[in-house]
Amino acid sequence: MTPPSGVVVLTDRLVAREGLDRVVAGAVAGGVRWVVLREKDLPRAERVALAADLRAILADVGGTLIVAGPDPLGGDAVHLPAAGPYPPPTHPLVGRSCHDRSELDRLTTEHYATISPVWPTKTKPGYGPPLLVAGLGSLVRASPVPLLALGGVETPEQVIACVQAGVVGVAVLGALMRAEDPAETAASLTSAYVEAVTPVLTRTRRGVTQVPTSGLRPTVPTQGSSLTARSGHCRPQPQTATKESK
């Protein structure tokens, strides 16, 4: 299974303006194809039901739901905390949260990692210190797996800066959970991601480098989608905006 890229949504029902199904549906209408289900305080049965609802939304566009924790809740993709478990489970897609070089050095069979916090974040105030772009770039170069930038990513300019630092995508929580219009916010961030990877694609056409052709679609649907009505090594380069397939 291909690691996540582009704009990846992390859920948090406690800060979401609406129900998670409606927020995720809006984000998907705005171009998002990857969602990480957190909500680890819920009973397992409720998480299973919520996972099924979100998978149904993502299935319409060939998207993927990743579940935080070692239990994929009936799926095949998980995102693990830095603390464990080690070794990671053998699911088709496994990611891990990392915050520094020592945690990146512990990675073994994981397929990708988030690195945080890049900037100060409203979700975890005081958490850090923030890496900023220079620190992010340094860890990208040291990482054995593709990285997603996480923490305080709220604007198109920040998305572009992260991609230019070498990550394959950005993980966004507050900016989309709190958005008045998740579809519009997702479209803005996704367009910035596409803008940032365009120079890489230009070099690819000239035969300088190779970039996988999976990822987000270059034309971001913001209106008219049925979803809006519903509740240094072999690291892959940032991906283009085409429909994700598993």
Side-chain angles (χ1 to χ4, degrees):
M1 185 181 296
T2 304
S5 63
V7 177
V8 180
V9 174
L10 277 62
T11 71
D12 188 335
R13 73 189 190 285
L14 300 180
V15 302
R17 282 179 174 266
E18 301 181 86
L20 286 183
D21 56 345
R22 297 182 67 86
V23 175
V24 169
V28 168
V32 166
R33 298 296 179 262
W34 298 89
V35 175
V36 178
L37 172 62
R38 297 168 72 245
E39 321 311 322
K40 291 188 285 186
D41 60 313
L42 288 176
R44 186 178 188 279
E46 291 185 30
R47 288 190 88 211
V48 169
L50 182 55
D53 289 343
L54 299 187
R55 285 194 184 102
I57 294 171
L58 286 158
D60 287 347
V61 295
T64 300
L65 182 73
I66 303 171
V67 177
D71 181 356
L73 303 178
D76 51 14
V78 298
H79 186 89
L80 306 173
Y86 290 96
T90 57
H91 299 303
L93 182 62
V94 178
R96 191 179 294 279
S97 297
C98 293
H99 311 88
D100 54 36
R101 176 68 181 268
S102 65
E103 291 178 350
L104 289 174
D105 288 342
R106 294 186 68 185
L107 298 175
T108 55
T109 59
E110 292 89 342
H111 303 98
Y112 76 93
T114 58
I115 193 72
S116 65
V118 181
W119 287 284
T121 170
K122 297 176 183 177
T123 303
K124 294 184 177 181
Y127 186 65
L131 297 165
L132 304 179
V133 174
L136 175 63
S138 176
L139 291 178
V140 166
R141 292 187 291 273
S143 176
V145 298
L147 294 185
L148 301 174
L150 169 64
V153 181
E154 298 184 348
T155 69
E157 292 76 17
Q158 288 173 314
V159 172
I160 292 172
C162 288
V163 174
Q164 289 176 342
V167 300
V168 297
V170 295
V172 180
L173 193 156
L176 280 165
M177 291 295 107
R178 300 185 182 97
E180 294 185 9
D181 187 338
E184 181 179 350
T185 299
S188 176
L189 298 178
T190 299
S191 295
Y193 170 78
V194 174
E195 176 186 340
V197 300
T198 296
V200 176
L201 302 181
T202 300
R203 293 196 299 273
T204 301
R205 287 193 291 268
R206 294 173 180 171
V208 175
T209 188
Q210 294 183 349
V211 179
T213 57
S214 62
L216 301 175
R217 293 182 292 182
T219 302
V220 178
T222 56
Q223 296 180 349
S225 170
S226 62
L227 292 171
T228 58
R230 292 212 257 167
S231 53
H233 30 69
C234 297
R235 181 188 303 110
Q237 294 294 321
Q239 300 179 348
T240 61
T242 60
K243 185 175 180 179
E244 181 67 39
S245 58
K246 297 197 291 182

